[in-house]
Amino acid sequence: MRDKGLLLIITIVALVFNGPIPCQATEIDWSGSIFIEEAFQDSDRSHMNIINLKMGIFAGEKENGVVLLQLQAPGRDPKTLEEVDYILDVYQAYIDLLINSSTMIRAGRQKISWGTGFNWNPTNYLGADQNRADFMVGRPGVDALDLEFNWNNALIVLVLKTQDSWYETGKALKVNWWLSGVDFSLNCYQKGDGRGLGAEFGMTVGDCVTYGEVAAKVGSRRFYIHENSEMERASDRLYLHALVGANQVLNDNLTLIVEYYYNQEGWNHREAEAFFDYLDTLTASERITALGKKGALLAELRQNYLSFTISKTDLIEDLTLSGNILWNVDDHSYQIRPALQYDLTQNTFFAVNANLNYGKSRTEFGALPYNSYINARLAFHF
């Protein structure tokens, strides 16, 4: 299915349901941010400038479209992973079509973020993964069609992530209800050989929000070591992924978030040992390449994880401190991520965050000491 043909179908559907679209005054609202970053990793130091530019399209008072561009200088080519002078990326570019009072279509590159968790989202079938190596980096958009329909007490959402064939096109459906104080939804998806069925919930009791999600999936691709060589295979059995968490406001400025993630598809002890045995056969440069593939699945390689996040705003005026620990329950390695942000003005802040990995050499985070770093940012919003 071609994207141009899909957008043409959307336009025809909009005209059929809405008739000719009346002319309205269209306004463009510009906003953006500039980041100046310095990163310190081992003995290396790197510098990067990032410019985010957002264009909001308004017809009346409602925002009907967004274009979000990001310029990184220097940047890293996503195909070759080589440093280049700059990278210009279109993070989001979508338009909203209101068919009627209960039906809306969003078409284009958009942020899809299903699920209730902060660190893991088993039900976010078609959206981009959370960057657990740097939580200050937002999820990029994906090229998709999002159809939302309100019916009685339910919200029905259908997302299509188009490909050249209908079988390879990602299809995800979610039905959401509000049931006696509980936000509950059922969902499913299919994309090529990948299929899944899941559920989400969220509820508030006093100052505590509890939430969770579960998904049973088949056909996802995983990195393994087989007979002392690398391979990636699509799983041919059903695996369970589950998350449960709580967000507790302890006082006006202190918040604690605790999450547990179960990943049945993760490596067992034998598979993890096979990977580290394989690393022992590699040269230093080959180990970095292999660990880079492994790092792409950070905090999803094994089966049991805990996350603890605490944040304190206005510790002193305009100063926020936060910290997160990702703990691999299976091999007892962990990552500590402290962060500090100080608001210099209403539109400018200075932030420092770090990723510090700890554990024995044959553990998930212990095998990644070179990935520990400290990062400083100066940001200006306009």
Side-chain angles (χ1 to χ4, degrees), residues 25-87:
T26 301
E27 297 182 359
I28 304 297
D29 178 60
W30 294 91
S31 62
S33 57
I34 299 174
F35 293 85
I36 301 173
E37 299 190 1
E38 293 284 342
F40 305 88
Q41 186 172 0
D42 292 335
S43 59
D44 296 329
R45 175 181 176 182
S46 61
H47 173 81
M48 179 179 294
N49 297 317
I50 299 176
I51 299 176
N52 295 314
L53 184 61
K54 177 182 177 181
M55 181 181 72
I57 304 170
F58 291 81
E61 296 182 357
K62 185 180 184 299
E63 188 174 64
N64 293 94
V66 163
V67 176
L68 179 58
L69 305 176
Q70 183 177 92
L71 175 67
Q72 295 186 19
R76 184 182 295 272
D77 190 314
K79 294 182 179 179
T80 65
L81 299 181
E82 296 180 352
E83 293 290 340
V84 295
D85 291 338
Y86 68 90
I87 287 289

Side-chain angles (χ1 to χ4, degrees), residues 14 19 35 45 131 139 160 209 234 244 250 266-267 287 310:
F35 293 85
R45 175 181 176 182
N131 186 339
R139 301 187 192 199
L160 300 176
V209 178
V244 62
L250 302 177
W267 291 347
R287 285 173 64 92
I310 190 166

Side-chain angles (χ1 to χ4, degrees), residues 10-22 24 59-65 94-107 145-150 155:
I10 296 170
T11 304
I12 295 173
V13 170
L15 290 173
V16 169
F17 280 88
N18 249 8
I21 300 174
Q24 295 185 7
E61 296 182 357
K62 185 180 184 299
E63 188 174 64
N64 293 94
Y94 63 81
I95 188 169
D96 291 340
L97 299 174
L98 186 64
I99 305 302
N100 53 47
S101 60
S102 60
T103 307
M104 187 272 290
I105 293 177
R106 173 170 292 177
L145 173 68
D146 178 16
L147 172 63
E148 299 186 7
F149 175 65
N150 284 285
L155 173 64

